Amino acid sequence: MFDPTDFPEPTLIPVNGVELEVFEAGRENAGKPMVLCHGWPEHAFSWRHQVPALVAAGYHVIVPNQRGYGNSSRPTEVTAYDIEHLSGDLVALLDHYEYEDAVFVGHDWGAFVVWGLTLLHPNRVAAVINLSLPYLERGEKPWIEFMEDAFGGDFYFVHFNRRPGVADAVLDENTFQFLRNMYRKNEPPREPQPGMVMIDLARAETPLGEPLMSDGELAVFVSSFEATGFTASINWYRNLDRNWHLLADVDPVIRQPALMVYGDRDAVARSEKLAEFVPEVEVVNLDCGHWIQQEKPEETNRVILGWLEKQGAVRT
């Protein structure tokens, strides 16, 4: 298992009206930037297995705790977590390092942000690598409204929006138990799960399945969320319908080369129209659950570096 003390030391960087806690490595590789974007309920530390391999391949690796996470700023306004703000933070981070563009890598919610960044600021994204969460077709209904119709009011996306503060309090009261139960290797079948599964996980006393990480690694996530609480990160969910409106007039096609990595046992639904909206995409499947880069770190690194080599973007 990874020793948490081996992760780079963070720096607080002012961007876009907030401060981001940023972990970076490979500054000697200036000119080859790669930005890694974590998901929920995660932390920059979720990329601990990728950073050394990417630096060794010649990249300047930049790993922010995005707004609402870790020691980054946690604005109180819910709308401060919409896609314009989240993508604006990444653009400002590129400006801070004086980069015109970068390869962006996202997992889970981080993938949603990378897709949105690419739509809103296409000239700042050289290539897209996303794990678990595919491009979300905008559709005719706002996303939360669609999910409510399809899965009901107890589906956690809907619950987070319609009953603000309820899940936040349960997760805050059971942080260790929730994260211990969340980070397991086994996953349910690849289909949306009904019910308020996050509250269920927080209250379940007996974890199911094999642990994803060591106790020391888990402690990094637990200590972070014990300090911040969950509200700021859940506010990302509370902007989904706002994001649907903000993206209304944006060209929906992503033209950058893209890599989409799925876990075969991930509960997140796959896209049936991915190639329609991301015509330059290559799809790879790994035998794992949702936490792809943490469960299968070596395989993930090989897939990413192999794909980048085919794009002519890896130094030798």
Side-chain angles (χ1 to χ4, degrees):
M1 289 289 186
F2 187 89
D3 183 348
T5 61
D6 289 339
F7 203 60
E9 289 294 319
T11 303
L12 284 177
I13 297 177
V15 296
N16 196 30
V18 297
E19 284 188 323
L20 295 185
E21 181 182 29
V22 178
F23 304 80
E24 68 166 306
R27 189 180 279 258
E28 66 275 13
N29 300 324
K32 297 276 286 187
M34 182 178 292
V35 183
L36 310 182
C37 301
H38 63 79
W40 183 88
E42 289 187 286
H43 186 279
F45 187 67
S46 64
W47 297 106
R48 60 197 176 279
H49 300 294
Q50 283 64 56
V51 172
L54 295 171
V55 169
Y59 287 92
H60 178 194
V61 183
I62 301 164
V63 195
N65 264 330
Q66 297 177 84
R67 64 168 66 195
Y69 289 84
N71 291 317
S72 295
S73 298
R74 300 188 301 279
T76 57
E77 303 83 2
V78 173
T79 56
Y81 299 89
D82 67 25
I83 191 61
E84 286 188 346
H85 286 90
L86 296 173
S87 62
D89 292 350
L90 299 178
V91 168
L93 194 58
L94 288 184
D95 291 342
H96 170 82
Y97 286 106
E98 299 184 342
Y99 287 130
E100 286 298 317
D101 59 20
V103 175
F104 280 87
V105 185
H107 170 254
D108 184 81
W109 257 104
F112 181 90
V113 174
V114 170
W115 294 125
L117 167 71
T118 311
L119 293 174
L120 292 169
H121 305 278
N123 61 320
R124 308 307 298 268
V125 180
V128 172
I129 300 172
N130 277 332
L131 284 62
S132 179
L133 188 75
Y135 179 96
L136 293 181
E137 180 186 355
R138 189 168 170 274
E140 296 182 358
K141 283 186 179 181
W143 284 306
I144 296 299
E145 184 179 338
F146 170 82
M147 291 178 192
E148 188 167 26
D149 290 345
F151 309 123
D154 285 338
F155 186 58
Y156 69 99
F157 277 76
V158 181
H159 190 283
F160 286 166
N161 278 268
R162 303 298 189 234
R163 300 186 65 191
V166 175
D168 315 38
V170 174
L171 302 190
D172 287 352
E173 291 168 6
N174 301 277
T175 298
F176 168 78
Q177 197 161 282
F178 171 60
L179 294 176
R180 177 201 62 183
N181 294 342
M182 191 76 159
Y183 293 132
R184 317 303 292 187
K185 287 188 178 181
N186 69 308
E187 286 287 347
R190 195 174 55 243
E191 59 185 22
Q193 300 298 298
M196 190 50 213
V197 293
M198 298 307 166
I199 285 179
D200 295 341
L201 281 171
R203 289 176 171 162
E205 294 184 3
T206 304
L208 298 176
E210 184 182 350
L212 182 75
M213 61 186 75
S214 70
D215 291 345
E217 291 170 307
L218 178 61
V220 174
F221 296 89
V222 172
S223 63
S224 178
F225 281 100
E226 284 180 340
T228 65
F230 284 88
T231 295
S233 62
I234 293 175
N235 282 342
W236 289 36
Y237 289 86
R238 295 179 177 132
N239 279 279
L240 263 176
D241 280 358
R242 179 177 174 83
N243 294 340
W244 185 89
H245 289 287
L246 289 172
L247 295 171
D249 298 323
V250 176
D251 179 356
V253 177
I254 287 178
R255 294 177 171 80
Q256 285 84 346
L259 172 66
M260 180 68 227
V261 182
Y262 289 117
D264 282 336
R265 289 176 282 117
D266 193 347
V268 176
R270 301 188 182 205
S271 170
E272 296 179 358
K273 297 184 177 180
L274 184 61
E276 180 179 334
F277 291 96
V278 192
E280 298 301 318
V281 70
E282 178 177 331
V283 176
V284 173
N285 304 292
L286 295 180
D287 180 22
C288 61
H290 180 66
W291 314 106
I292 297 171
Q293 77 273 25
Q294 298 186 79
E295 183 175 348
K296 295 287 186 179
E298 293 181 1
E299 293 90 332
T300 300
N301 293 346
R302 282 199 296 269
V303 167
I304 289 174
L305 291 173
W307 182 80
L308 287 168
E309 187 170 14
K310 286 191 289 185
Q311 309 306 310
V314 172
R315 289 179 178 175
T316 57

